[in-house]
């Protein structure tokens, strides 16, 4: 029994609508035909243009304002670049330290519980028990200012005024005998001139020159070292513990 033409075409369209593969193939052919037509007819030396789609945006959040960026762009370099205008004395910093820092770091920077020690440790870096504090280890006073301003007081960073941060840093330096005058006023004009005891313990990264002799254009990938040779065994050199009966003692 023959089918009517209209019924046959309807059946084909129905199958195509249910077949993802056929839909994908049809879409690809249509895209290819469009690209060829866009590129120009035979004999025309025109290049096909590729439609570069804009990156997908999810419309979440917003771009930060200049003022917001300025609030976090507060890093300070060792030469003092980035320091905000301000000043504070050691005496002013002592009260601020007691109110905001002593509960964790101790009244004299000795550390409370397991909180970091800030003062002391002078000359201990080469010992068996080095104590890394601001005075014994940190290379620059600007590092101290940068960190304190970014992260302290704990739980409420950047909650103090610029002058108060200068005063706090001055007091921490005083605890480490870097500053010896209680009336000393630390400011953006003199902070970079302060020399820390361990500044000479740090060097610039010189691997580009000091390790250049070890660089190889074609690194070794096979038989790079001599085979390992066993020169002695524990039983031969008599280092295995033994019981009184002479038998080797196993793992207990």
């Amino acid at each position: 029994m023959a089918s009517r033409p209209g019924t046959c075409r309807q059946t084909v369209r129905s199958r195509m609508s249910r077949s993802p593969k056929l839909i994908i193939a049809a879409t690809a052919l249509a895209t290819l035909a469009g690209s060829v037509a866009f590129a120009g007819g035979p004999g025309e030396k025109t290049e096909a243009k590729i439609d570069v789609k804009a990156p997908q945006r999810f419309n979440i959040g917003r771009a930060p304002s200049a003022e917001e960026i300025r609030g976090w762009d507060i890093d300070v370099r060792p030469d003092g670049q980035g320091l905000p205008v301000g000043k504070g004395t050691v005496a002013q910093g002592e009260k601020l330290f007691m109110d905001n820092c002593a509960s964790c770091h101790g009244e004299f920077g000795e550390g409370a519980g397991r909180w970091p020690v800030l003062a002391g440790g002078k000359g201990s870096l080469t010992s068996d028990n080095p104590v890394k504090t601001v005075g014994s280890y940190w290379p620059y006073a600007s590092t101290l200012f940068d960190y304190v301003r970014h992260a302290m007081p704990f739980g409420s960073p950047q909650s103090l005024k610029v002058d108060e941060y200068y005063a706090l840093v001055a007091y921490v330096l005083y605890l480490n005998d870097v500053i010896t005058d209680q009336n000393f006023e630390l400011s953006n004009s003199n902070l970079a001139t302060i020399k820390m005891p361990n500044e000479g313990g740090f060097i610039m990264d010189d691997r580009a020159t000091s390790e250049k002799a070890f660089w190889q254009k074609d690194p070794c990938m096979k038989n790079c070292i001599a085979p390992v040779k066993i020169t002695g065994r524990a039983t031969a050199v008599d280092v295995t513990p033994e019981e009184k009966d002479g038998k080797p003692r196993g793992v207990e």
Side-chain angles (χ1 to χ4, degrees), residues 33-40 46-50:
S35 299
V36 172
F38 184 79
T46 57
E47 296 181 358
K49 295 183 180 180
I50 301 175

Side-chain angles (χ1 to χ4, degrees), residues 5-252:
T7 305
C8 180
R9 287 195 294 271
Q10 184 178 6
T11 304
V12 171
R13 285 198 297 269
S14 176
R15 288 178 180 174
M16 288 182 65
S17 65
R18 294 197 300 267
S19 176
K21 292 183 178 179
L22 291 174
I23 293 174
I24 294 172
T27 303
L29 288 172
T31 303
L32 179 61
S35 299
V36 172
F38 184 79
E44 295 184 12
K45 296 182 179 180
T46 57
E47 296 181 358
K49 295 183 180 180
I50 301 175
D51 183 17
V52 180
K53 294 182 178 180
Q56 185 178 4
R57 298 187 180 277
F58 298 97
N59 297 319
I60 299 175
R62 60 174 176 77
S65 65
E67 184 178 356
E68 289 170 333
I69 294 175
R70 194 161 48 246
W72 286 101
D73 186 19
I74 58 175
D75 56 294
V76 180
R77 297 195 333 188
D79 61 0
Q81 183 172 326
L83 282 170
V85 176
K87 59 185 178 181
T89 66
V90 173
Q92 293 168 339
E94 181 177 9
K95 185 179 186 308
L96 289 166
F97 188 89
M98 296 305 169
D99 293 341
N100 298 277
C101 315
S103 59
C104 295
H105 298 292
E107 294 184 1
F108 302 99
E110 74 279 12
R114 295 189 177 184
W115 294 99
V117 179
L118 299 182
K122 185 177 180 179
S124 68
L125 295 183
T126 58
S127 68
D128 294 333
N129 185 30
V131 180
K132 295 182 178 180
T133 69
V134 172
S136 70
Y137 182 70
W138 289 35
Y140 307 109
S142 60
T143 306
L144 175 61
F145 185 92
D146 184 83
Y147 178 78
V148 172
R149 189 185 178 202
H150 264 102
M152 295 290 123
F154 181 73
S156 186
Q158 300 189 47
S159 61
L160 302 180
K161 298 177 181 178
V162 172
D163 288 351
E164 292 175 322
Y165 280 115
Y166 275 108
L168 270 175
V169 170
Y171 183 68
V172 173
L173 294 174
Y174 178 80
L175 290 176
N176 285 276
D177 296 325
V178 177
I179 294 175
T180 57
D181 183 4
Q182 278 191 330
N183 297 317
F184 181 85
E185 185 177 73
L186 187 67
S187 68
N188 57 292
S189 61
N190 62 13
L191 189 145
T193 64
I194 294 176
K195 298 298 182 182
M196 301 295 284
N198 193 43
E199 181 178 345
F202 288 79
I203 60 173
M204 297 299 293
D205 187 351
D206 63 346
R207 285 174 292 180
T209 55
S210 64
E211 298 182 7
K212 192 172 183 179
F214 299 99
W215 298 354
Q216 297 183 27
K217 181 179 179 181
D218 300 314
C220 178
M221 302 298 292
K222 186 178 180 181
N223 300 325
C224 301
I225 61 174
V228 177
K229 183 183 296 184
I230 299 175
T231 59
R233 299 182 182 275
T235 54
V237 297
D238 195 24
V239 296
T240 304
E242 296 180 351
E243 297 288 358
K244 294 181 180 180
D245 57 4
K247 295 180 180 180
R249 197 170 77 193
V251 178
E252 297 178 355

